[in-house]
Amino acid sequence: MSTSGDGVSTPKASNDKPTTITPLHTLTPSESIKRSLPPVLIDKAEVDPPYLDVLIAGGMGGTIADFLMHSVDTVKTRLQGQPSANPPKYNNMFHAYSTILREEGVSRGLYSGVAPAMTGSLPGTTLYFGTYEYTKRTLTAAGCPDTIAHLAGGSLGDFVASFIYVPSEVLKTRMQLQGRYNNPSFISGYNYKNTWHALQMIVKYDGVGALYQGYRATLMRDVPFSALQFAFYEKFKVEARRWEARPDGQMSMHIETACGAVAGGLAGFLTTPLDVMKTLLQTQVKKPSVCIRISLGFVLFKPEASIPSGSSPAVTGATHKYYVGIWDGLKWNLKHHGVIGGLFRGVGPRVFWTSLQSALMFVIYEQALHLQDNMRHFGHWPYGSS
């Protein structure tokens, strides 16, 4: 120990050699410390998760989000598919929600069609995320710009998954529009006892091909929606991480939620006209050949084929249009109902649904990936990273 001129004692190393202090940021943690810390604190470089992690996280995120938001999707379907009466049965999203809840309840009203929805959601979203991740990584590795890789991945992922989820979408949409069996509160053109009965009646009277009714319209809605949703989300995620600049390189929960919500809301708004046509094409009955006017001022159409026991005649307003295709429907609705009442019918619940569904899906997806990574790091996950 030595004393300086001002009376302050300073330590002095033996042999009078200066003490070298190693900066903390250059220290390498031991293996025991590495195993006790979350992996993100050791290596900040973002590493692509294993594909099995992606499949599990994607299936969980998509299915849970679809289930939680199913009632809003039912309201959107009713608003888009309700008969063209004046005044309409449902005026807006909140009126439709409260009316369906009051007249039909939850399980047979707001959550009608949830069984086929979940049946298609789990395998569909699992395949969807897996295909997206594989396409994105392949194109990025080949030097493709990130935005193009995200757009292509979202488009291809939805196309591959469509072979699974479109039949369930047809069943779900019809059950949502119908509500409960012998529903006195809403006339949809269908009257199925349950999902299995609906499947039997559709295959028996319309053929297996009817399960893919509106397939092109569904693809024209979902392919651009998925492409835009993933492109927006990936872009927002990069900017959010740069803006937050967290030590672990991740996003906070509320920022992650906001990125997913805005991405889904924007994609949902831009594709609303295609969603309207998808709903109308999937729920319309066979092309009418006989028109009978009844005393209440409605027009009752008798389909070319006899009406099966699983269906009821479609009742609509004074003007009924049978749509022969997507563009025919878009032009007719624009001409007779305008932009808001025709092409953007039900835009409120659609944007609300896509925003919350997207936020829930991406948050659950990202958190499931983090959870699996941490569990594997601590030796609690049953398979390795390869």
Side-chain angles (χ1 to χ4, degrees):
M1 185 77 68
S2 62
T3 304
S4 60
D6 55 2
V8 178
S9 297
T10 58
K12 186 176 181 180
S14 60
N15 300 327
D16 296 324
K17 292 183 179 180
T19 302
T20 303
I21 301 177
T22 304
L24 291 176
H25 67 272
T26 63
L27 293 175
T28 302
S30 64
E31 289 300 319
S32 60
I33 294 178
K34 284 183 178 181
R35 287 192 296 269
S36 65
L37 295 175
V40 70
L41 296 179
I42 299 171
D43 186 4
K44 296 179 186 177
E46 185 174 2
V47 179
D48 290 330
Y51 282 113
L52 188 55
D53 284 17
V54 172
L55 296 176
I56 294 174
M60 288 177 56
T63 304
I64 294 174
D66 285 344
F67 178 80
L68 293 177
M69 297 305 299
H70 186 81
S71 62
V72 181
D73 186 53
T74 299
V75 170
K76 183 265 304 179
T77 300
R78 288 286 185 94
L79 283 170
Q80 292 178 342
Q82 67 176 328
S84 301
N86 190 15
K89 169 76 173 181
Y90 308 116
N91 297 324
N92 51 56
M93 171 183 170
F94 300 104
H95 178 250
Y97 203 101
S98 60
T99 302
I100 296 172
L101 179 61
R102 183 181 68 256
E103 295 180 346
E104 304 173 47
V106 176
S107 61
R108 295 296 183 179
L110 292 174
Y111 268 79
S112 57
V114 70
M118 295 301 100
T119 302
S121 180
L122 180 58
T125 53
T126 300
L127 186 60
Y128 172 57
F129 272 92
T131 305
Y132 167 77
E133 195 67 26
Y134 177 79
T135 305
K136 181 188 73 172
R137 295 182 192 181
T138 302
L139 293 179
T140 302
C144 184
D146 289 344
T147 301
I148 301 300
H150 299 154
L151 288 170
S155 300
L156 186 59
D158 192 272
F159 174 74
V160 173
S162 67
F163 295 100
I164 294 178
Y165 75 75
V166 168
S168 67
E169 182 81 7
V170 171
L171 290 168
K172 180 205 75 171
T173 304
R174 293 192 180 191
M175 297 297 289
Q176 284 177 319
L177 199 62
Q178 169 194 306
R180 66 184 179 87
Y181 182 59
N182 288 332
N183 189 0
S185 303
F186 190 84
I187 302 178
S188 62
Y190 303 103
N191 195 28
Y192 305 117
K193 297 178 181 178
N194 48 50
T195 303
W196 177 243
H197 182 240
L199 179 62
Q200 288 180 309
M201 293 299 102
I202 292 173
V203 172
K204 180 178 179 179
Y205 291 99
D206 297 327
V208 177
L211 294 174
Y212 286 88
Q213 184 175 343
Y215 180 70
R216 286 183 298 175
T218 303
L219 285 185
M220 286 195 67
R221 177 199 69 172
D222 289 348
V223 167
F225 171 81
S226 298
L228 292 171
Q229 181 188 39
F230 269 105
F232 285 146
Y233 178 71
E234 295 281 6
K235 183 64 175 178
F236 294 157
K237 185 166 68 171
V238 170
E239 296 300 325
R241 285 176 173 175
R242 183 182 296 116
W243 176 71
E244 278 199 295
R246 287 171 48 133
D248 58 3
Q250 302 300 318
M251 292 183 292
S252 56
M253 182 71 74
H254 67 282
I255 296 296
E256 194 172 277
T257 304
C259 288
V262 176
L266 284 174
F269 174 81
L270 294 174
T271 55
T272 296
L274 299 174
D275 182 57
V276 172
M277 284 315 307
K278 190 277 304 182
T279 300
L280 295 176
L281 285 171
Q282 285 186 332
T283 56
Q284 66 180 356
V285 294
K286 287 185 176 181
K287 188 175 182 178
S289 58
V290 180
C291 177
I292 307 173
R293 185 171 299 276
I294 58 180
S295 60
L296 294 178
F298 295 96
V299 177
L300 176 65
F301 291 101
K302 180 181 178 181
E304 291 174 340
S306 59
I307 300 173
S309 60
S311 305
S312 62
V315 179
T316 66
T319 58
H320 177 87
K321 169 67 177 178
Y322 181 84
Y323 305 103
V324 296
I326 302 168
W327 300 116
D328 173 56
L330 290 173
K331 291 186 293 184
W332 192 88
N333 275 277
L334 178 61
K335 179 180 179 180
H336 292 84
H337 299 293
V339 175
I340 303 299
L343 301 184
F344 281 85
R345 188 188 319 172
V347 66
R350 172 160 174 79
V351 171
F352 182 75
W353 181 85
T354 55
S355 297
L356 292 185
Q357 193 272 349
S358 180
L360 288 169
M361 180 182 70
F362 281 122
V363 166
I364 296 172
Y365 173 73
E366 297 285 358
Q367 294 304 312
L369 288 179
H370 296 329
L371 177 62
Q372 292 176 93
D373 192 27
N374 288 338
M375 290 177 67
R376 182 182 301 106
H377 179 76
F378 292 120
H380 297 157
W381 204 228
Y383 62 90
S385 59
S386 58

